[in-house]
Amino acid sequence: EAGVAQSPRYKIIEKRQSVAFWCNPISGHATLYWYQQILGQGPKLLIQFQNNGVVDDSQLPKDRFSAERLKGVDSTLKIQPAKLEDSAVYLCASSLLSYEQYFGPGTRLTVT
Amino acid sequence: ELKVEQNPLFLSMQEGKNYTIYCNYSTTSDRLYWYRQDPGKSLESLFVLLSNGAVKQEGRLMASLDTKARLSTLHITAAVHDLSATYFCAVGMGLGGGSQGNLIFGKGTKLSVKP
């Protein structure tokens, strides 16, 4: 069974630029999550989708972050414009049931 | 607001020794997860604990859950170098309402096992 796929794996941008990350969940997983993991900390949920609907985006900085999940499969997370404090690893996870989440390899973003 | 605290945050062990990592959380939950993360890698699921008194073991690692005390432990037996990694506990939010399945993570325990 293929795991959660993410791209790109690494991205370096300057502050105020835009960036987008892509996630392809495990086939059949209805729930998709985006987490932000700052160096030295645990992951923090940014947004959760159930199929193509948003379940929870309470911690998503909506003035600069946006996410979508068209057709209930792939998802993209966008940052526009980026700030220095957005430097982090962005993890995508998916789950079939609510009990266990499977994480992708992550995208390491560096904002200079 | 649910808070998850792990201790210690850093742990240096000798090979062959035993130690326990603690995970306390602030509000009721019926799901507790342990993950392992190697440097530059993603999260690997170790254990899912779903009920009070649950105990699971895999190799040299054993996890337990006491929902009344809001405490989970990850016990390491006879540590080996390959166990060096960062270990996270995460608590599941309630399955009702709009936050189904959300996980709140602790800050992680960075384990270093030395020969």
Side-chain angles (χ1 to χ4, degrees):
Chain A
E1 179 183 80
V4 177
Q6 289 187 247
S7 68
R9 294 295 311 278
Y10 304 92
K11 190 75 177 178
I12 301 174
I13 62 172
E14 295 182 352
K15 59 184 179 183
R16 291 187 290 274
Q17 286 187 324
S18 302
V19 66
F21 312 129
W22 173 82
C23 173
N24 180 243
I26 294 173
S27 177
H29 281 195
T31 310
L32 185 147
Y33 312 80
W34 283 102
Y35 289 86
Q36 179 192 59
Q37 186 177 20
I38 293 172
L39 185 65
Q41 298 184 20
K44 182 186 81 171
L45 181 74
L46 292 176
I47 189 167
Q48 177 188 352
F49 292 94
Q50 182 78 17
N51 295 310
N52 61 347
V54 175
V55 174
D56 185 352
D57 63 356
S58 58
Q59 297 193 83
L60 186 74
K62 298 180 185 64
D63 58 333
R64 297 183 300 107
F65 286 65
S66 64
E68 61 181 7
R69 189 183 184 197
L70 298 177
K71 300 181 181 178
V73 182
D74 293 4
S75 177
T76 56
L77 176 70
K78 297 179 181 178
I79 307 174
Q80 180 180 10
K83 292 185 176 181
L84 295 176
E85 58 260 37
D86 297 333
S87 294
V89 175
Y90 291 84
L91 295 166
C92 178
S94 70
S95 67
L96 178 60
L97 302 173
S98 293
Y99 289 121
E100 192 158 9
Q101 297 181 21
Y102 297 86
F103 285 81
T107 296
R108 183 176 298 275
L109 173 67
T110 302
V111 183
T112 62
Chain B
E1 179 187 346
L2 175 60
K3 293 186 178 180
V4 180
E5 292 186 356
Q6 283 182 242
N7 70 84
L9 297 182
F10 299 92
L11 178 56
S12 181
M13 296 177 64
Q14 292 285 331
E15 279 192 331
K17 298 293 187 181
N18 304 332
Y19 209 83
T20 300
I21 300 171
Y22 297 89
C23 175
N24 291 89
Y25 52 99
S26 60
T27 61
T28 302
S29 173
D30 57 0
R31 291 171 294 127
L32 193 292
Y33 304 77
W34 285 97
Y35 288 90
R36 169 179 172 149
Q37 188 175 41
D38 291 289
K41 304 290 186 181
S42 190
L43 297 163
E44 174 192 354
S45 179
L46 294 175
F47 301 107
V48 181
L49 303 170
L50 299 176
S51 61
N52 185 41
V55 178
K56 290 194 174 181
Q57 184 166 3
E58 180 72 34
R60 300 174 187 276
L61 301 177
M62 183 174 71
S64 65
L65 177 62
D66 181 344
T67 59
K68 294 180 181 178
R70 299 177 187 165
L71 170 69
S72 180
T73 60
L74 180 66
H75 187 72
I76 303 159
T77 302
V80 293
H81 179 69
D82 286 352
L83 290 179
S84 297
T86 298
Y87 293 85
F88 291 95
C89 68
V91 177
M93 297 287 283
L95 291 179
S99 298
Q100 297 186 26
N102 287 358
L103 298 181
I104 306 298
F105 283 82
K107 290 186 175 181
T109 297
K110 186 172 183 179
L111 173 65
S112 175
V113 182
K114 302 181 185 300

